[in-house]
């Protein structure tokens, strides 16, 4: 037993070096009590137990009694969770999708290992290192595991290509593949740029800077910065990005906790866009780092916020890493916008279910469609720093211009087609057959955007696939209502697969109510 306690002590000492914890291992110590309980269960319990799972369950049990954002993740979960924010991964460098049970390359990453050896859009990868991955209903995650691997390692691929007989063989040397967090940037109107950021990762600040530089070269003097559905990420990325819009020494955010002292984060100055009109777009899924940037811009009266009330996450998590790769993300502080508001929405400790149902409650209460249904805590009044406009803490960030969710735009028939994956899968099949002719007919995106019309054959195929799945429009009126939205989505999906995600948003944004309102505000 002494050896077990010593091992626990050494483990906690290694964590202490990271998290600067002070632990008490005296005879009345809760930590000692927990360790003795674990060892007793493992040694004397009537049935065999998985000690690893026992400890993990105990950790999760403790964290569940705290706030909704303190959490434990296994080594596998930690790797999966961190990868999108790390800026890269090791692999072969293809964007792909599954058509039925076959991997089809949508686009090889420009300059990536697959493009270098001659793999093309439309190619089907059917064998990886002598293992068939097509026609065997292999799980997508297992396919990705086989394609990925350490930089410098080689993978043998067999590919089926339209117009070529038999299998084509390629040897691809895996390399670092960049993961972009800027989904799109382009000139949305003369003089007005648009940037959409999906998350705040390690490379996000650099990506945003590059996008701003490119847009300014194209004549941008005003910007729409789209943070809709952006769930956040790294604090330092939010600070760097906000610093592109604010003058030197403007406070961006400060953090403070029971143990953690107040720490201020200020703009360094020299940002690419300290002047010029700025509109930030948010919705109910914009959280954490998104709210830091939005709160700073709103509090300094630097720009206008358009959209719907943001998620409301004002808690700071600190990672505590274990040697096996697992991790605790422990809430250690609140963050506060420059005016002093904490935008964390209310929660009851240990009641994660109620917290997770918040967005559902907003929908049912009409908050997503009616501004007057939103009620803030009157004790959480704050004022912006220059124009002294009233803003509220304690429940997300309320936009300056509210744009209701248009629940009538999407018919039940259309939503069912999307949820079943029939829209995207049928469009992929169409592109797979017509890729060459589309590229020959539309050599540039502007021609495509201006003149391409969705062929009736594609609509008919989706309707047929829907009928096979038991999905039908209830009447002609519902079908007529569904077609314009369906055609726009298909046009955007085809553009994405022929060009890139940037082109997808150039099409889809023309019917986005929040974006349209932003254009109206910024061009006044």
């Amino acid at each position: 037993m002494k050896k077990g306690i010593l091992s626990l002590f050494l483990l906690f000492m290694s964590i202490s070096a990271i998290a600067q914890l002070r632990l008490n291992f005296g005879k009345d110590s809760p930590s000692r009590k927990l360790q003795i309980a674990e060892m007793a269960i493992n040694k004397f319990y009537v049935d065999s137990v998985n000690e690893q799972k026992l400890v993990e369950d105990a950790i999760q049990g403790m964290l569940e009694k705290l706030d909704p954002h303190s959490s434990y993740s296994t080594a596998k979960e930690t790797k999966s969770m961190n990868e999108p924010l790390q800026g890269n991964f090791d692999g072969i460098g293809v964007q792909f999708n599954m058509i039925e049970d076959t991997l089809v390359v949508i686009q090889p990453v420009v300059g990536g290992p697959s493009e270098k050896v001659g793999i093309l859009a439309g190619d089907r990868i059917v064998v990886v290192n002598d293992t068939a991955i097509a026609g065997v209903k292999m799980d997508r995650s297992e396919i990705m595991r086989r394609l990925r691997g350490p930089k410098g390692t080689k993978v043998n691929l067999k590919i089926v290509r339209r117009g070529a007989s038999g299998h084509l063989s390629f040897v691809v040397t895996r390399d670092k593949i960049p993961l972009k967090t800027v989904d799109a940037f382009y000139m949305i109107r003369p003089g007005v740029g648009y940037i959409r950021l999906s998350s705040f990762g390690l490379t996000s600040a650099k990506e945003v800077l590059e996008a701003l530089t490119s847009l300014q070269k194209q004549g941008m003097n005003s910007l729409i910065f789209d943070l809709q559905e952006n769930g956040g990420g790294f604090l330092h990325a939010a600070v760097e990005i906000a610093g592109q819009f604010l003058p030197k020494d403007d406070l961006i955010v400060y953090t403070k906790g029971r143990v953690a002292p107040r720490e201020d984060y200020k703009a360094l100055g020299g940002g690419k866009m300290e002047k010029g009109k700025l509109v930030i777009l948010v919705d109910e899924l914009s959280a954490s780092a998104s709210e830091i940037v939005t709160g700073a811009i709103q509090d300094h009266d630097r720009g206008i916020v358009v959209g719907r009330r943001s998620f409301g996450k004002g808690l700071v998590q600190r990672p505590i890493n274990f040697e096996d790769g697992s991790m605790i993300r422990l809430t250690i502080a609140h963050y506060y916008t420059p005016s002093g508001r904490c935008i964390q929405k209310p929660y009851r400790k240990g009641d994660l279910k109620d917290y997770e149902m918040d967005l559902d409650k907003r929908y049912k209460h009409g908050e997503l469609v009616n501004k007057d249904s939103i009620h803030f805590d009157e004790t959480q009044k704050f004022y912006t720093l220059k124009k002294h406009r009233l803003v509220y803490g304690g429940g997300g960030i309320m936009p300056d211009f509210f744009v209701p969710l248009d629940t009538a735009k999407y018919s039940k028939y259309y939503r069912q087609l999307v949820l079943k994956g029939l829209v995207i899968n049928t469009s992929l099949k169409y592109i797979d057959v017509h890729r060459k002719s589309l590229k020959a007919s539309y050599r540039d995106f502007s021609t495509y955007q201006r003149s391409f019309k969705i062929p009736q054959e594609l609509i008919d195929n989706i309707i047929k696939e829907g009928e096979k799945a038991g999905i039908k429009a209830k009447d002609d009126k519902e079908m007529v209502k569904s077609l314009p939205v369906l055609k726009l989505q298909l046009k955007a999906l085809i553009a994405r697969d022929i060009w890139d995600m940037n082109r997808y948003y150039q099409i889809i944004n023309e019917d986005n109510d929040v974006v349209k309102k932003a254009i109206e505000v910024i061009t006044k």
Side-chain angles (χ1 to χ4, degrees), residues 313-353:
K313 180 181 181 294
L315 303 176
V316 180
Q317 279 74 50
R318 181 173 189 167
I320 299 173
N321 298 302
F322 293 97
E323 291 182 2
D324 65 352
S326 61
M327 179 180 71
I328 286 175
R329 289 177 56 81
L330 186 67
T331 297
I332 62 165
H334 289 86
Y335 72 74
Y336 300 83
T337 70
S339 67
R341 45 180 175 149
C342 178
I343 53 81
Q344 175 62 44
K345 61 187 177 183
Y347 62 88
R348 293 193 297 268
K349 288 184 178 180
D351 194 347
L352 184 58
K353 184 176 181 181

Side-chain angles (χ1 to χ4, degrees), residues 33-301:
K33 185 176 182 180
L34 181 64
Q35 171 64 358
I36 291 172
E38 186 276 325
M39 288 193 299
I41 294 169
N42 189 49
K43 187 172 180 63
F44 299 117
Y45 185 62
V46 62
D47 296 320
S48 61
V49 295
N50 182 326
E51 187 175 9
Q52 179 72 19
K53 189 173 187 306
L54 192 67
V55 171
E56 288 181 346
D57 288 346
I59 293 171
Q60 288 172 334
M62 289 188 287
L63 295 174
E64 283 170 3
K65 300 299 182 184
L66 304 179
D67 65 277
H69 296 291
S70 290
S71 62
Y72 170 81
S73 54
T74 64
K76 184 177 180 181
E77 290 167 342
T78 299
K79 186 173 185 285
S80 176
M81 182 172 59
N82 285 340
E83 193 171 75
L85 298 176
Q86 293 302 320
N88 61 65
F89 64 92
D90 294 345
I92 67 168
V94 293
Q95 298 174 32
F96 72 90
N97 220 316
M98 303 301 293
I99 296 182
E100 294 171 346
D101 61 352
T102 303
L103 184 156
V104 178
V105 176
I106 302 301
Q107 293 285 351
V109 173
V110 177
S114 289
E115 186 189 59
K116 288 177 181 176
V117 299
I119 291 174
L120 304 174
D123 284 350
R124 288 161 162 74
I125 300 176
V126 296
V127 176
V128 179
N129 287 336
D130 298 324
T131 299
I133 65 168
V136 294
K137 304 211 178 287
M138 185 178 288
D139 188 79
R140 187 185 181 106
S141 62
E142 177 62 18
I143 292 173
M144 290 177 67
R145 186 188 70 79
R146 292 176 181 275
L147 293 175
R148 292 184 179 184
K151 176 182 177 179
T153 58
K154 297 182 184 299
V155 58
N156 297 296
L157 305 178
K158 291 191 184 302
I159 282 173
V160 172
R161 179 176 294 168
R162 282 186 178 274
S165 59
H167 290 169
L168 304 178
S169 296
F170 294 89
V171 178
V172 182
T173 303
R174 297 182 179 101
D175 203 347
K176 290 288 182 188
I177 308 301
L179 282 172
K180 298 294 187 182
T181 56
V182 169
D183 284 336
F185 69 93
Y186 63 96
M187 296 297 293
I188 197 166
R189 293 293 185 272
V192 182
Y194 169 91
I195 299 175
R196 181 181 175 92
L197 186 70
S198 63
S199 63
F200 288 79
L202 283 178
T203 62
S204 296
K206 180 183 176 184
E207 291 177 54
V208 170
L209 175 59
E210 289 172 350
L212 289 171
T213 301
S214 175
L215 292 172
Q216 286 177 339
K217 287 179 180 177
Q218 298 174 57
M220 177 187 72
N221 49 51
S222 301
L223 175 68
I224 297 170
F225 191 34
D226 192 346
L227 297 177
Q228 293 179 93
E229 301 179 11
N230 185 317
F234 294 128
L235 172 64
H236 71 81
V239 171
E240 287 186 58
I241 289 169
Q244 295 294 340
F245 309 117
L246 296 169
K248 184 176 173 60
D249 292 331
D250 266 12
L251 180 64
I252 294 169
V253 66
Y254 66 92
T255 61
K256 186 172 62 174
R258 178 180 64 88
V259 176
R262 171 166 170 160
E263 187 169 0
D264 291 359
Y265 298 84
K266 296 181 178 182
L268 297 177
K272 288 294 291 184
M273 199 170 176
E274 291 183 12
K275 298 186 183 299
K277 289 184 179 179
L278 176 63
V279 172
I280 307 286
L281 310 187
V282 295
D283 63 11
E284 55 280 356
L285 298 177
S286 305
S288 188
S290 294
E291 294 170 303
I292 288 174
V293 173
T294 306
I297 297 304
Q298 189 177 57
D299 280 5
H300 284 291
D301 294 294

Side-chain angles (χ1 to χ4, degrees), residues 6-51:
L6 177 60
S7 298
L8 181 72
F9 177 74
L10 292 173
L11 172 62
F12 272 120
M13 284 298 289
S14 66
I15 296 172
S16 179
I18 299 171
Q20 297 178 347
L21 302 174
R22 289 186 178 181
L23 299 173
N24 170 22
F25 281 94
K27 64 178 182 178
D28 296 324
S29 161
S31 301
R32 178 184 172 90
K33 185 176 182 180
L34 181 64
Q35 171 64 358
I36 291 172
E38 186 276 325
M39 288 193 299
I41 294 169
N42 189 49
K43 187 172 180 63
F44 299 117
Y45 185 62
V46 62
D47 296 320
S48 61
V49 295
N50 182 326
E51 187 175 9

